[in-house]
């Protein structure tokens, strides 16, 4: 088994382990509340939050990190649960609960039932993550650092799919526990003490759901591994990993694209029904690729020799499929004519047309990722400095983006710095405070 395939096996296993850790930590918080004093419960919640945060930090240092959206949600769950428990403890300390609720039968020895706090908080946090979808802050940061799911290959698509599935399962379990626990609380709970039926509903039932979910996830990821194995076996490139070279070709103020119906080389490609760059080449796997080698491959593909080709960025997918090198190619008038002679179906389209095709989902996801990255980073580079501060004092001023100017810009598209600045800059709300917070947590 190759190292890349082992990484994929480990990635699928870690998806399951993520669920075990997060669901287990939430269940642990609920179970231990039966024996730990309420005053200490917020500290336990903050400690579990810290553990999940350290897991995320360790994952971010991995060469091919696993989707950690679930631990990220858990960090929020433990934080907000701890704040609520701490607030209730403070209110009880000053005898404010009986006054606020106009109830003198409050049992100070049982100021709260942990599951009644954790379950609804879990439901709210997971629902918020699902509602935000790909715009969820953690997901956006992941795409900035490691590329879009399409760029990361099989694992990227798997993590996107399974991350969403895990959050949906967490939401379903949290909503179910919340409903049953609160209904029981209002209609059957006696706050004098914790009876055997109380213990079952507030402690054992959530633990049982946790165990069932572990078994379900184990079966699910066993099936995913079987599917992945079949995927590798049926792959046209199963004899070994490969490298994909892609060239984004520009001429004057236009980008070169190949319409889907005129791309016979992509009959077996799932994306063959979409617009894409004509410069897309598969070669045996390589970890490095010089510009001169990229120029040679471009000549073999198009017949254009000594083109002005510059490295853009690379993507390591992390599985047994491929890695990708992305290049920018600046064509002269003569080279444009050679390209059209070799491939008469080529089109040179304007920025407006490119935006229209991308927004309508008519381009290959890799092409969309490449051009969006190019546009986003260039606009951030033209608007802000390396610390995110505006280069122009004119409020809301937006620089002009011209395709013909791309070859003049000194932007390192392989460095995600400008992607981060595009999201967090001087025009962002609470910029100074958030910048200080990022420095403290760096």
């Amino acid at each position: 088994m190759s190292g890349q395939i082992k990484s994929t096996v480990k990635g699928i296993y870690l998806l399951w382990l993520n669920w075990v850790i997060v669901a287990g930590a939430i269940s642990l918080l609920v179970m231990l509340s039966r024996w730990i004093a309420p005053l200490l419960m917020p500290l336990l919640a903050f400690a579990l939050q810290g553990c999940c945060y350290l897991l995320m930090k360790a994952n971010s240092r991995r060469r091919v990190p696993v989707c950690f959206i679930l631990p990220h949600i858990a960090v929020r769950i433990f934080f907000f649960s701890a704040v609520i428990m701490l607030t209730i403890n403070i209110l009880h300390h000053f005898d404010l609960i009986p006054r606020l609720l106009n109830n003198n039968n409050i049992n100070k020895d049982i100021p709260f039932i942990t599951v009644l706090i954790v379950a609804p908080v879990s439901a709210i946090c997971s629902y918020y993550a699902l509602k935000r979808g790909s715009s969820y802050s953690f997901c956006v940061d992941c795409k900035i650092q490691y590329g879009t799911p399409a760029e990361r290959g099989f694992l990227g698509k798997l993590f996107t799919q399974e991350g969403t599935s895990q959050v949906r399962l967490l939401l379903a379990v949290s909503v179910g526990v919340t409903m049953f626990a609160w209904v029981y609380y209002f209609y059957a709970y006696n706050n004098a003490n914790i009876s055997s039926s109380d213990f079952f509903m507030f402690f054992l039932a959530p633990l049982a759901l946790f165990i069932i979910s572990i078994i379900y996830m184990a079966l699910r990821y066993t099936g995913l591994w079987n599917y992945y194995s079949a995927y590798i076996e049926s792959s046209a490139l199963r004899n070994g990993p490969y490298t994909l070279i892609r060239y984004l070709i520009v001429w004057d103020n236009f980008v070169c694209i190949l319409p889907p119906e005129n791309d016979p080389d992509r009959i077996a490609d799932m994306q063959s029904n979409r617009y894409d760059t004509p410069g897309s080449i598969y070669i045996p796997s390589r970890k490095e690729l010089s510009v001169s080698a990229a120029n040679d491959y471009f000549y073999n593909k198009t017949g254009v020799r000594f083109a002005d080709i510059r490295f853009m960025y690379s993507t390591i997918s992390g599985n047994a499929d491929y890695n990708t090198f992305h290049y920018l190619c600046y064509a002269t008038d003569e080279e444009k004519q050679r390209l059209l002679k070799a491939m008469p179906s080529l089109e040179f389209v304007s920025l407006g047309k490119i935006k229209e095709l991308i927004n309508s989902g008519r381009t290959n996801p890799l092409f969309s990722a490449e051009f969006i990255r190019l546009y986003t980073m260039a606009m951030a580079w033209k608007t802000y400095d390396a610390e995110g501060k505006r280069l122009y004092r004119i409020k809301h001023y937006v620089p002009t983006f011209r395709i013909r100017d791309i070859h003049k810009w000194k932007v390192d598209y392989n460095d995600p710095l400008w992607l981060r600045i595009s999201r967090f800059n001087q025009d962002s709300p609470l910029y100074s405070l958030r910048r200080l917070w990022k420095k403290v947590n760096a």
Side-chain angles (χ1 to χ4, degrees), residues 135 139 152 177 201 205-206 241 248 253 258-259 264 292 360 434:
S135 298
C139 297
R152 296 183 67 191
V177 172
M201 287 299 300
L248 192 62
N253 215 29
L258 186 64
S292 61
S360 61
R434 291 167 62 191

Side-chain angles (χ1 to χ4, degrees), residues 14 16 49 178 241 253 263 273 297 397 441:
L14 288 176
W16 174 77
Q49 176 199 1
T178 299
N253 215 29
D263 193 7
N273 62 337
Y297 284 116
Y397 171 74
N441 289 274

Side-chain angles (χ1 to χ4, degrees), residues 38-53:
L39 286 175
L40 299 178
M41 286 305 298
L43 296 179
L44 177 60
F46 281 130
L48 291 173
Q49 176 199 1
C51 291
C52 289
Y53 180 77

Side-chain angles (χ1 to χ4, degrees), residues 71-199:
H72 181 267
I73 294 173
V75 167
R76 296 189 172 189
I77 290 171
F78 290 128
F79 173 77
F80 290 119
S81 297
V83 169
I84 293 172
M85 289 187 285
L86 183 62
T87 301
I88 293 174
N89 281 331
I90 292 173
L91 293 175
H92 267 287
H93 179 75
F94 292 102
D95 292 323
L96 294 176
I97 292 288
R99 300 177 192 175
L100 293 173
L101 300 180
N102 194 24
N103 188 344
N104 294 321
N105 296 321
I106 299 294
N107 187 346
K108 292 183 178 180
D109 294 330
I110 311 177
F112 54 81
I113 305 294
T114 301
V115 71
L116 298 178
I117 297 173
V118 175
V121 169
S122 300
I124 293 171
C125 291
S126 53
Y127 175 77
Y128 176 77
L130 277 179
K131 189 72 174 178
R132 294 289 295 168
S134 60
S135 298
Y136 188 57
S137 59
F138 179 81
C139 297
V140 173
D141 290 337
C142 183
K143 286 186 287 187
I144 288 175
Q145 185 68 27
Y146 305 109
T148 64
E151 291 175 304
R152 296 183 67 191
F154 179 84
L155 275 184
K157 297 171 185 176
L158 174 66
F159 291 158
T160 300
Q161 169 190 305
E162 289 308 305
T164 302
S165 296
Q166 287 186 343
V167 178
R168 283 176 180 163
L169 182 58
L170 179 61
L171 174 61
V173 172
S174 301
V175 169
V177 172
T178 299
M179 291 177 60
F180 283 109
W182 274 99
V183 168
Y184 179 86
Y185 176 80
F186 281 117
Y187 291 100
Y189 174 66
N190 186 326
N191 70 346
N193 53 41
I194 300 294
S195 65
S196 57
S197 59
D198 298 338
F199 183 71

